[in-house]
Short mmCIF file of all heavy atoms in Angstrom, two decimals:
data_model
loop_
_atom_site.label_atom_id
_atom_site.label_comp_id
_atom_site.label_asym_id
_atom_site.label_seq_id
_atom_site.Cartn_x
_atom_site.Cartn_y
_atom_site.Cartn_z
N VAL A 515 4.32 -12.59 8.46
CA VAL A 515 3.92 -11.63 7.42
C VAL A 515 5.08 -11.36 6.48
O VAL A 515 4.89 -11.23 5.27
CB VAL A 515 3.38 -10.33 8.06
CG1 VAL A 515 2.91 -9.35 6.98
CG2 VAL A 515 2.22 -10.64 9.00
N VAL A 516 6.29 -11.29 7.01
CA VAL A 516 7.49 -11.14 6.16
C VAL A 516 7.55 -12.30 5.19
O VAL A 516 7.81 -12.11 3.99
CB VAL A 516 8.77 -11.04 7.06
CG1 VAL A 516 10.02 -11.25 6.21
CG2 VAL A 516 8.80 -9.70 7.76
N ASN A 517 7.31 -13.50 5.66
CA ASN A 517 7.33 -14.67 4.77
C ASN A 517 6.21 -14.61 3.73
O ASN A 517 6.39 -15.07 2.61
CB ASN A 517 7.24 -15.96 5.59
CG ASN A 517 8.50 -16.22 6.40
OD1 ASN A 517 9.58 -15.82 6.00
ND2 ASN A 517 8.36 -16.88 7.55
N LEU A 518 5.08 -14.05 4.12
CA LEU A 518 3.97 -13.88 3.17
C LEU A 518 4.36 -12.90 2.06
O LEU A 518 4.10 -13.16 0.88
CB LEU A 518 2.72 -13.40 3.90
CG LEU A 518 1.47 -13.14 3.04
CD1 LEU A 518 1.00 -14.40 2.35
CD2 LEU A 518 0.37 -12.52 3.87
N ILE A 519 5.00 -11.80 2.41
CA ILE A 519 5.47 -10.85 1.40
C ILE A 519 6.45 -11.53 0.45
O ILE A 519 6.37 -11.39 -0.78
CB ILE A 519 6.11 -9.62 2.05
CG1 ILE A 519 5.10 -8.85 2.91
CG2 ILE A 519 6.71 -8.68 1.00
CD1 ILE A 519 5.70 -7.81 3.82
N ARG A 520 7.36 -12.29 1.03
CA ARG A 520 8.35 -13.01 0.22
C ARG A 520 7.65 -14.00 -0.73
O ARG A 520 8.00 -14.09 -1.93
CB ARG A 520 9.32 -13.75 1.15
CG ARG A 520 10.53 -14.35 0.46
CD ARG A 520 11.58 -14.83 1.44
NE ARG A 520 12.21 -13.71 2.12
CZ ARG A 520 12.10 -13.45 3.45
NH1 ARG A 520 11.42 -14.26 4.21
NH2 ARG A 520 12.70 -12.42 3.97
N GLN A 521 6.66 -14.68 -0.21
CA GLN A 521 5.90 -15.64 -1.04
C GLN A 521 5.20 -14.92 -2.21
O GLN A 521 5.23 -15.40 -3.33
CB GLN A 521 4.86 -16.35 -0.18
CG GLN A 521 4.03 -17.38 -0.92
CD GLN A 521 2.96 -18.02 -0.04
OE1 GLN A 521 2.93 -17.83 1.17
NE2 GLN A 521 2.10 -18.80 -0.65
N ASN A 522 4.63 -13.75 -1.94
CA ASN A 522 3.94 -13.01 -3.00
C ASN A 522 4.94 -12.45 -4.02
O ASN A 522 4.67 -12.48 -5.24
CB ASN A 522 3.03 -11.93 -2.44
CG ASN A 522 1.70 -12.49 -2.01
OD1 ASN A 522 1.09 -13.30 -2.72
ND2 ASN A 522 1.23 -12.10 -0.84
N CYS A 523 6.09 -12.01 -3.56
CA CYS A 523 7.12 -11.55 -4.52
C CYS A 523 7.56 -12.70 -5.41
O CYS A 523 7.72 -12.54 -6.61
CB CYS A 523 8.32 -10.97 -3.76
SG CYS A 523 8.01 -9.33 -3.06
N ASP A 524 7.74 -13.88 -4.81
CA ASP A 524 8.13 -15.05 -5.60
C ASP A 524 7.04 -15.47 -6.60
O ASP A 524 7.34 -15.84 -7.73
CB ASP A 524 8.43 -16.25 -4.68
CG ASP A 524 9.71 -16.06 -3.87
OD1 ASP A 524 10.50 -15.14 -4.20
OD2 ASP A 524 9.90 -16.77 -2.87
N ARG A 525 5.79 -15.39 -6.17
CA ARG A 525 4.66 -15.75 -7.04
C ARG A 525 4.65 -14.94 -8.32
O ARG A 525 4.28 -15.44 -9.37
CB ARG A 525 3.32 -15.52 -6.32
CG ARG A 525 2.93 -16.55 -5.33
CD ARG A 525 1.68 -16.11 -4.59
NE ARG A 525 0.49 -16.15 -5.42
CZ ARG A 525 -0.40 -17.13 -5.43
NH1 ARG A 525 -0.21 -18.17 -4.67
NH2 ARG A 525 -1.47 -17.08 -6.18
N PHE A 526 5.03 -13.66 -8.20
CA PHE A 526 4.97 -12.75 -9.32
C PHE A 526 6.33 -12.52 -9.96
O PHE A 526 6.47 -11.70 -10.87
CB PHE A 526 4.33 -11.43 -8.91
CG PHE A 526 2.86 -11.54 -8.61
CD1 PHE A 526 2.42 -11.79 -7.32
CD2 PHE A 526 1.92 -11.43 -9.62
CE1 PHE A 526 1.08 -11.93 -7.03
CE2 PHE A 526 0.57 -11.59 -9.34
CZ PHE A 526 0.13 -11.82 -8.04
N GLY A 527 7.35 -13.20 -9.50
CA GLY A 527 8.70 -13.08 -10.09
C GLY A 527 9.33 -11.72 -9.87
O GLY A 527 10.15 -11.28 -10.69
N VAL A 528 8.98 -11.05 -8.78
CA VAL A 528 9.52 -9.73 -8.48
C VAL A 528 10.89 -9.87 -7.83
O VAL A 528 11.04 -10.57 -6.82
CB VAL A 528 8.55 -8.93 -7.59
CG1 VAL A 528 9.17 -7.61 -7.16
CG2 VAL A 528 7.23 -8.71 -8.30
N GLN A 529 11.90 -9.21 -8.40
CA GLN A 529 13.29 -9.36 -7.95
C GLN A 529 13.84 -8.14 -7.24
O GLN A 529 14.90 -8.21 -6.64
CB GLN A 529 14.18 -9.64 -9.16
CG GLN A 529 13.79 -10.85 -9.97
CD GLN A 529 14.05 -12.14 -9.23
OE1 GLN A 529 15.07 -12.29 -8.58
NE2 GLN A 529 13.14 -13.10 -9.34
N ASN A 530 13.13 -7.00 -7.30
CA ASN A 530 13.70 -5.76 -6.78
C ASN A 530 13.08 -5.29 -5.47
O ASN A 530 13.06 -4.11 -5.16
CB ASN A 530 13.59 -4.65 -7.84
CG ASN A 530 12.16 -4.42 -8.31
OD1 ASN A 530 11.32 -5.30 -8.23
ND2 ASN A 530 11.90 -3.24 -8.83
N VAL A 531 12.59 -6.24 -4.69
CA VAL A 531 12.01 -5.93 -3.36
C VAL A 531 12.89 -6.54 -2.29
O VAL A 531 13.17 -7.75 -2.31
CB VAL A 531 10.58 -6.47 -3.24
CG1 VAL A 531 10.05 -6.25 -1.82
CG2 VAL A 531 9.66 -5.82 -4.25
N LYS A 532 13.34 -5.69 -1.38
CA LYS A 532 14.06 -6.17 -0.20
C LYS A 532 13.07 -6.14 0.96
O LYS A 532 12.39 -5.12 1.19
CB LYS A 532 15.24 -5.23 0.11
CG LYS A 532 16.02 -5.58 1.36
CD LYS A 532 17.14 -4.58 1.60
CE LYS A 532 17.83 -4.84 2.92
NZ LYS A 532 18.86 -3.81 3.21
N ILE A 533 12.99 -7.23 1.69
CA ILE A 533 12.01 -7.35 2.77
C ILE A 533 12.76 -7.29 4.10
O ILE A 533 13.70 -8.04 4.33
CB ILE A 533 11.19 -8.65 2.65
CG1 ILE A 533 10.55 -8.71 1.25
CG2 ILE A 533 10.12 -8.72 3.75
CD1 ILE A 533 10.06 -10.09 0.86
N VAL A 534 12.31 -6.39 4.97
CA VAL A 534 12.96 -6.17 6.27
C VAL A 534 11.97 -6.48 7.37
O VAL A 534 10.86 -5.93 7.39
CB VAL A 534 13.47 -4.72 6.40
CG1 VAL A 534 14.04 -4.48 7.77
CG2 VAL A 534 14.51 -4.44 5.32
N GLU A 535 12.38 -7.36 8.29
CA GLU A 535 11.58 -7.62 9.48
C GLU A 535 12.05 -6.69 10.56
O GLU A 535 13.21 -6.72 10.96
CB GLU A 535 11.74 -9.08 9.92
CG GLU A 535 10.90 -9.43 11.15
CD GLU A 535 11.11 -10.87 11.58
OE1 GLU A 535 11.62 -11.69 10.79
OE2 GLU A 535 10.73 -11.18 12.74
N GLY A 536 11.14 -5.80 11.01
CA GLY A 536 11.54 -4.86 12.04
C GLY A 536 10.38 -4.02 12.52
O GLY A 536 9.34 -3.90 11.86
N GLN A 537 10.56 -3.47 13.69
CA GLN A 537 9.57 -2.62 14.33
C GLN A 537 9.89 -1.15 14.01
O GLN A 537 10.99 -0.68 14.28
CB GLN A 537 9.59 -2.81 15.86
CG GLN A 537 8.56 -2.02 16.62
CD GLN A 537 7.16 -2.57 16.45
OE1 GLN A 537 6.95 -3.78 16.33
NE2 GLN A 537 6.21 -1.67 16.41
N VAL A 538 8.96 -0.46 13.39
CA VAL A 538 9.11 0.93 13.04
C VAL A 538 8.65 1.76 14.24
O VAL A 538 7.65 1.42 14.87
CB VAL A 538 8.28 1.29 11.79
CG1 VAL A 538 8.33 2.74 11.48
CG2 VAL A 538 8.73 0.44 10.61
N PRO A 539 9.35 2.81 14.67
CA PRO A 539 10.45 3.47 13.99
C PRO A 539 11.86 2.94 14.35
O PRO A 539 12.83 3.43 13.81
CB PRO A 539 10.31 4.92 14.45
CG PRO A 539 9.75 4.84 15.82
CD PRO A 539 8.85 3.61 15.79
N ASN A 540 11.93 1.94 15.22
CA ASN A 540 13.24 1.48 15.72
C ASN A 540 14.17 0.99 14.62
O ASN A 540 15.38 1.17 14.70
CB ASN A 540 13.06 0.36 16.76
CG ASN A 540 12.25 0.80 17.93
OD1 ASN A 540 12.13 2.00 18.22
ND2 ASN A 540 11.65 -0.12 18.64
N CYS A 541 13.63 0.36 13.58
CA CYS A 541 14.49 -0.23 12.53
C CYS A 541 14.87 0.73 11.40
O CYS A 541 15.61 0.36 10.50
CB CYS A 541 13.81 -1.47 11.95
SG CYS A 541 12.38 -1.07 10.90
N LEU A 542 14.40 1.96 11.44
CA LEU A 542 14.58 2.87 10.31
C LEU A 542 16.05 3.18 10.03
O LEU A 542 16.41 3.39 8.88
CB LEU A 542 13.79 4.15 10.51
CG LEU A 542 12.25 3.99 10.50
CD1 LEU A 542 11.60 5.35 10.73
CD2 LEU A 542 11.78 3.37 9.20
N ASN A 543 16.88 3.22 11.07
CA ASN A 543 18.29 3.53 10.84
C ASN A 543 19.02 2.42 10.07
O ASN A 543 20.09 2.66 9.54
CB ASN A 543 19.00 3.79 12.17
CG ASN A 543 18.60 5.13 12.76
OD1 ASN A 543 18.25 6.05 12.04
ND2 ASN A 543 18.66 5.22 14.09
#
Side-chain angles (χ1 to χ4, degrees):
V515 182
V516 165
N517 290 331
L518 178 63
I519 298 168
R520 190 170 290 115
Q521 181 182 353
N522 278 317
C523 286
D524 291 345
R525 281 174 71 99
F526 291 92
V528 174
Q529 303 290 320
N530 57 336
V531 175
K532 177 182 175 185
I533 305 163
V534 175
E535 181 181 343
Q537 182 74 35
V538 176
N540 301 338
C541 72
L542 294 179
N543 287 333

